[in-house]
Amino acid sequence: MLLNKLPWLVEIIVCRAHYANFLEQRLIKPCSENFRAHSSTCRPDSAMSAATDFNFPRYTRALVREIPKSIRHQSEGYDEKKRVVMKRALEEHAGYVQMLRDLGLDVTVLPADEAMPDCVFVEDTCVVVGDRALMTRPPCKPRRKEVDAVERCLKSLGIKTHRIYNKKAILEGGDVLFTGKEFFAGISSKSNVEGHKALAETFPEYPVHSVPVEEPEFHLKGMLCVAAPGTLVMPRNKWGKTAWEVVCERSEYTYTPMWVPNHYGVNCLQINGTVVHCTEKDYPKSCQVFAETLGGDYRLIQRSIGELGKVEAGLTCCSVLF
């Protein structure tokens, strides 16, 4: 068991060693101020931008994929103690897709493929900004077939796609957070430094900052998400503190932190002024934080995908927005 985790552990250990190389390639731009764990904002020195306009994307389209039955026993996140109930999962997913349509998005639905048990998690297959997409390179080779299907669809919709050809690189979309000004990218069991370099090469106008991700999290978006332009939501634990430290040390921009009690309530969607987040039934304290922090300025929608959550899925996992 320990041997299986060694590659991931090595990535975490060498993350800081790669930091100097990133600086040379302008992948990370540090600021001089030290980490302030629970400050109301992270404000670098006076030379840094206040960044009141984050140019956060306005979305017109969404790409989703149906759920294969094979997810019940063959998903990467499979746990025999938490079996996915397909009927309920399909109902929750249908509600999720209808919500995207109700928010004015043109939704493209790809059919499920039983040979790809995790294909419903389309977020992992690509990173789309504007009319460009970087097709990712998941470490699990069977998941790379998902990337091919999504690429064909994106091309048909007029998106210019880019591929990762470095065989040492791994990257999944769940590890990539775009704030409108820059990327934060997870160093995890699913993504590494080489993958981050491919991200920077595809979108050279945006800095890329690496954030270490520790188990039990699969992806960065389980510990850091955009709740609103300029507002980042994190869990009030060591993972959230680590993420906020990176934001404060490396970003040129001013962000406001939003702290929720634990990592289960972090993952959320910001869609054209509407925040889609966890439900009061599932995570009442986190839901209350969203309501108290953002309720006066944004429309809030509570949405659960609890059955897919049994295989470590969050709200962002099930769609690609562009």
Side-chain angles (χ1 to χ4, degrees):
M1 191 71 168
L2 181 60
L3 289 175
N4 291 335
K5 292 184 178 181
L6 279 177
W8 173 79
L9 291 171
V10 170
E11 287 290 354
I12 295 298
I13 293 170
V14 304
C15 181
R16 291 192 180 276
H18 282 291
Y19 183 55
N21 291 333
F22 268 135
L23 290 175
E24 292 178 3
Q25 298 179 47
R26 300 180 67 191
L27 293 179
I28 295 177
K29 298 180 180 180
C31 68
S32 59
E33 184 171 277
N34 292 330
F35 167 46
R36 288 182 277 174
H38 293 294
S39 60
S40 59
T41 58
C42 172
R43 293 192 179 277
D45 61 43
S46 58
M48 301 302 180
S49 168
T52 54
D53 179 8
F54 272 81
N55 296 321
F56 197 75
R58 288 197 63 82
Y59 303 115
T60 59
R61 304 193 68 105
L63 174 62
V64 302
R65 196 162 189 179
E66 295 174 339
I67 308 172
K69 294 178 182 178
S70 56
I71 197 173
R72 293 176 295 179
H73 305 293
Q74 299 174 39
S75 171
E76 276 193 290
Y78 171 71
D79 183 342
E80 64 179 7
K81 296 179 181 179
K82 296 186 291 185
R83 300 290 182 91
V84 174
V85 179
M86 280 302 296
K87 183 176 184 294
R88 192 177 305 151
L90 292 170
E91 290 172 351
E92 290 174 344
H93 190 259
Y96 178 95
V97 174
Q98 186 57 51
M99 174 200 69
L100 296 176
R101 291 193 172 111
D102 292 343
L103 289 173
L105 301 184
D106 185 355
V107 181
T108 300
V109 182
L110 293 177
D113 187 327
E114 294 299 330
M116 305 175 192
D118 287 317
C119 66
V120 63
F121 306 133
V122 288
E123 174 188 48
D124 289 333
T125 64
C126 59
V127 178
V128 183
V129 177
D131 63 352
R132 274 175 291 162
L134 173 63
M135 308 312 298
T136 62
R137 193 170 186 271
C140 180
K141 290 183 179 180
R143 293 210 68 188
R144 294 177 191 172
K145 295 179 181 178
E146 299 172 31
V147 176
D148 297 336
V150 170
E151 181 176 34
R152 289 192 294 271
C153 179
L154 290 176
K155 283 183 174 180
S156 74
L157 297 173
I159 300 296
K160 300 173 185 176
T161 63
H162 301 257
R163 279 282 188 165
I164 298 174
Y165 296 104
N166 184 344
K167 293 183 179 181
K168 294 181 180 179
I170 56 172
L171 186 71
E172 290 189 355
D175 270 322
V176 180
L177 183 72
F178 182 59
T179 70
K181 291 290 189 180
E182 59 198 339
F183 290 101
F184 293 98
I187 292 285
S188 70
S189 60
K190 309 298 181 185
S191 303
N192 64 10
V193 171
E194 298 301 324
H196 295 185
K197 290 178 181 178
L199 181 67
E201 289 166 0
T202 304
F203 303 101
E205 67 270 46
Y206 299 113
V208 177
H209 309 301
S210 293
V211 184
V213 178
E214 299 181 29
E215 289 185 336
E217 287 303 331
F218 267 32
H219 291 129
L220 177 65
K221 287 181 183 176
M223 56 185 256
L224 181 69
C225 252
V226 174
T231 298
L232 302 177
V233 56
M234 292 153 289
R236 194 179 288 276
N237 57 27
K238 65 177 182 178
W239 306 312
K241 291 178 181 179
T242 295
W244 186 237
E245 178 180 7
V246 172
V247 172
C248 288
E249 287 184 351
R250 302 177 185 177
S251 177
E252 293 183 351
Y253 304 105
T254 300
Y255 293 94
T256 299
M258 191 176 97
W259 300 97
V260 295
N262 59 59
H263 66 285
Y264 295 111
V266 168
N267 194 257
C268 61
L269 290 162
Q270 164 62 232
I271 305 176
N272 303 339
T274 295
V275 185
V276 184
H277 61 87
C278 60
T279 66
E280 184 176 9
K281 179 181 177 181
D282 290 338
Y283 308 111
K285 292 182 179 179
S286 294
C287 187
Q288 182 179 358
V289 172
F290 276 93
E292 292 176 352
T293 307
L294 301 175
D297 299 311
Y298 297 93
R299 178 187 178 190
L300 303 182
I301 295 178
Q302 298 180 29
R303 176 61 55 182
S304 175
I305 53 167
E307 286 304 309
L308 293 180
K310 293 177 179 178
V311 288
E312 307 298 333
L315 290 165
T316 62
C317 299
C318 297
S319 59
V320 176
L321 307 177
F322 54 102

